Amino acid sequence: MTAMTDTALEIPEEGTVRLVDYLAAELTRAGVTHMFGVGGANIEDLYDAVHRVGTIRGVVAKHEFSAVTMADGYARATRRLGVVAATSGGGAMNLVPGLAEAYASRVPVLALVGQPPTGQEGLGAFQDSSGRAGSFDAREVFTPVSRFCARVDEPDSLAELLPRAIAAAQADPKGPAVLLLPKDVQQAQVELPVRGVRSAPVVPMPTASKPGLEALDAASAALRGASRVLVIAGEGVAAADARAELSELARRLGAWVAVTPDAKDVFDNRAIRFAGVAGVMGHTNVEDCLRRADVCLLVGTRLPLLARGGLDQALAATPVVCIDPEPPFVAGIALGGNLRDALRAVADRLPSRPLPCPEHAGPLPTLPPTPVPQAGAGTLSYAEAVAAVEAALPQDAHVFVDAGNAGASAVHLLPAPRHGRFVVAVGMGGMGYTFGAGIGAALATGRRTYVLAGDGAFFMHGMEVHTAAEYDAPVTFVIFNNNAHAMCAVREELIQGGVRNDDLFARTDIAAGVAAAFPALDASWAGDGAQLRRALLRGNAGSGPAFVALDCDAREIPPFLPFLSITASTGHTASTKNAESTESEESSDERGPVHVG
């Protein structure tokens, strides 16, 4: 593994150094503490420089997708720039889906991508992506999934391109920046000081725009005139570190506060104002509050479909105010600019006295009213498993929730830790995201980090458990094994009549396999909630990674509105665990089945 050296290589104020040494030193000055990636011939010089400079910890992943998600998780947990490095060819191409998630979720990541030497471009170079002589152009691949993409063709150009890339990644809308680094350019000597930048900060901080006065007046007037306000808060609150401002505004408005599926940690889930999760993994109380509200206030979210599924009719009948750097996906008053500044500006126009929120049911779970029958001994329902996680979860831990039925259940049922992140990657929703992201967050913060994932996600990128073991990362991997791509299997049954079983698999004993592969790792199987809780507490007590798998039923319908709306409208329960009927809800017959994909 690559670790920080005890003595850092001093970069002189004057003279010449390798470009990669200069680059590593500038990343340190920008606050970077870790670089994630997978090595290779056309990026090895950068890894060498990181080791020699000694102020950044180089972390080698098993796959470039997971290396990007490590940088993504690092950025989400620290609000700093995440950095990933990869070589040319297949290594570079493996970055794309991870960068797409960071782009869609507005996560600041810098990708440093090795390229063949410039003298070989267009001459049949191995892994040529220069766009010459019939090769494809890497810039055309990375530009759609980045805020900034450039090829560093000349060594002296890095002094200009690096600050531009970092600034672009950190400006709203945040996202990835990509620098393509030919091998010979990495090895080139650069003269110091480089264009005078040694005496200035490496990153010109983006200037935050202020909210427009006309929109501020309109938003404030709408909120002052409302007796009942529902706030729906999104991931942008966490990205802007605006939790305190959100809480103060809700206090002055006497508002209910709901959160989007990817933002459970932006408001105390146990507070009396907390209405629940909005959208397709959410709570019916949010819709009830929305129907009673005079105004719906969106904060740090544009309210994409996953966050508004099932709410469109109620939203259409309710005035909407949105505070976010980007305009909302629904009609309403849009108040842009810096999120914290906008929240403070609106709060300053309201009376400072706190107002109680109106009574509401709270985030009652959508669950069967009676215990769910088990498919067999040793099989846990999602609710039982999540309850065991809740009982063991430290309140300063981070939680990363993967895609799938188990993930939907965790979003719906598991309260966010009071002092940690609760991350769900809904930008692209790629399976296996959490394995890298959880490691990145854990290494960056040193906090216990829970990764909640299904067996499908594990088989995609679960071998990053090896990375966690190599770096002794405090990550607890909890694998909900239903031996299926269960969300696909439930869709096939409910929507297509269950005529095929492509997504149902033979049973695997994941815990035994991991235990055999990593003898030093605390890896176990839990046959009931008590065993799961004990295994999790044992992991909490350790300093490194832990792993526990449990068996679930692939036929269990999770609290996922597209499935529940079908069962409610058709009465379909064959070969599934009964889900709570929503036909008694005022809106069930009005909206019919809800579709998100």
Side-chain angles (χ1 to χ4, degrees), residues 178-204:
V178 179
L179 291 178
L180 303 170
L181 300 167
K183 184 174 178 69
D184 57 320
V185 173
Q186 295 178 53
Q187 296 174 327
Q189 296 287 311
V190 293
E191 187 77 25
L192 298 179
V194 180
R195 299 184 184 178
V197 300
R198 293 287 292 171
S199 59
V202 69
V203 187

Side-chain angles (χ1 to χ4, degrees), residues 39 62 64 117 123 140 163 197 224 268 285 320 328 379 518 575:
K62 307 288 93 61
E64 290 84 3
L123 298 175
E140 295 181 359
V197 300
R224 281 197 305 268
D268 185 354
N285 180 57
V320 172
T379 302
F518 306 101
S575 74

Side-chain angles (χ1 to χ4, degrees), residues 382 404-406 482 484-504 553-560 562-564 566-567 572 574-577 579:
Y382 296 132
N405 285 358
N482 47 37
H485 288 165
M487 186 164 277
C488 296
V490 172
R491 285 182 60 87
E492 289 155 10
E493 180 165 342
L494 295 181
I495 298 172
Q496 298 180 330
V499 296
R500 57 191 178 91
N501 59 1
D502 310 53
D503 288 299
L504 298 174
D553 187 346
R555 301 168 300 169
E556 180 178 356
I557 295 178
F560 187 59
F563 296 161
L564 298 179
I566 293 173
T567 59
H572 183 105
S575 74
T576 61
K577 296 184 174 183

Side-chain angles (χ1 to χ4, degrees), residues 16 81 105 107 116 162 178 181 227 244-245 254 273 285 292 308 352 372 389 405 426 483 493 499 588 596:
T16 60
L81 179 72
S105 290
V107 180
L162 179 61
V178 179
L181 300 167
S227 299
E245 289 79 5
R273 298 184 187 280
N285 180 57
R292 295 166 57 195
R308 72 173 190 271
S352 60
V372 177
V389 172
N405 285 358
V426 297
N483 297 292
E493 180 165 342
V499 296
S588 297
V596 295

Side-chain angles (χ1 to χ4, degrees), residues 69-244:
T69 67
M70 288 176 193
D72 178 303
Y74 170 102
R76 296 198 203 213
T78 64
R79 297 183 58 247
R80 296 197 297 265
L81 179 72
V83 176
V84 61
T87 192
S88 51
M93 296 303 99
N94 285 340
L95 296 173
V96 172
L99 293 177
E101 170 60 42
Y103 183 94
S105 290
R106 308 317 195 229
V107 180
V109 171
L110 174 64
L112 303 171
V113 186
Q115 297 285 279
T118 55
Q120 297 177 9
E121 292 174 351
L123 298 175
F126 179 58
Q127 300 179 331
D128 189 0
S129 56
S130 65
R132 299 180 180 180
S135 66
F136 71 88
D137 191 337
R139 285 171 296 191
E140 295 181 359
V141 174
F142 288 110
T143 294
V145 293
S146 64
R147 305 296 176 192
F148 179 87
C149 179
R151 186 186 300 272
V152 184
D153 288 318
E154 298 294 336
D156 289 344
S157 67
L158 182 67
E160 174 196 353
L161 294 175
L162 179 61
R164 288 178 60 192
I166 296 176
Q170 295 180 319
D172 288 323
K174 299 178 179 66
V178 179
L179 291 178
L180 303 170
L181 300 167
K183 184 174 178 69
D184 57 320
V185 173
Q186 295 178 53
Q187 296 174 327
Q189 296 287 311
V190 293
E191 187 77 25
L192 298 179
V194 180
R195 299 184 184 178
V197 300
R198 293 287 292 171
S199 59
V202 69
V203 187
M205 294 304 294
T207 302
S209 60
K210 295 184 178 181
L213 186 59
E214 184 176 343
L216 180 60
D217 289 340
S220 301
L223 293 170
R224 281 197 305 268
S227 299
R228 295 178 302 276
V229 177
L230 172 66
V231 174
I232 302 179
E235 163 69 12
V237 174
D241 193 22
R243 291 178 179 86

Side-chain angles (χ1 to χ4, degrees), residues 509-571:
D509 190 341
I510 294 175
V514 170
F518 306 101
L521 177 66
D522 180 5
S524 60
W525 175 81
D528 58 38
Q531 290 180 12
L532 176 56
R533 178 177 175 273
R534 286 195 297 271
L536 296 174
L537 290 173
R538 194 168 60 246
N540 293 349
S543 60
F547 187 99
V548 58
L550 56 114
D551 289 341
C552 298
D553 187 346
R555 301 168 300 169
E556 180 178 356
I557 295 178
F560 187 59
L561 187 57
F563 296 161
L564 298 179
S565 64
I566 293 173
T567 59
S569 62
T570 66

Side-chain angles (χ1 to χ4, degrees), residues 61 102 105 160 173 177 206 249 275 320-321 359 385 390 393 396 430 493 505 517 534 545 585:
S105 290
E160 174 196 353
L249 182 58
V320 172
V321 174
E359 291 186 2
E390 180 182 358
L393 183 67
D396 64 347
E493 180 165 342
F505 312 132
R534 286 195 297 271
E585 298 297 329

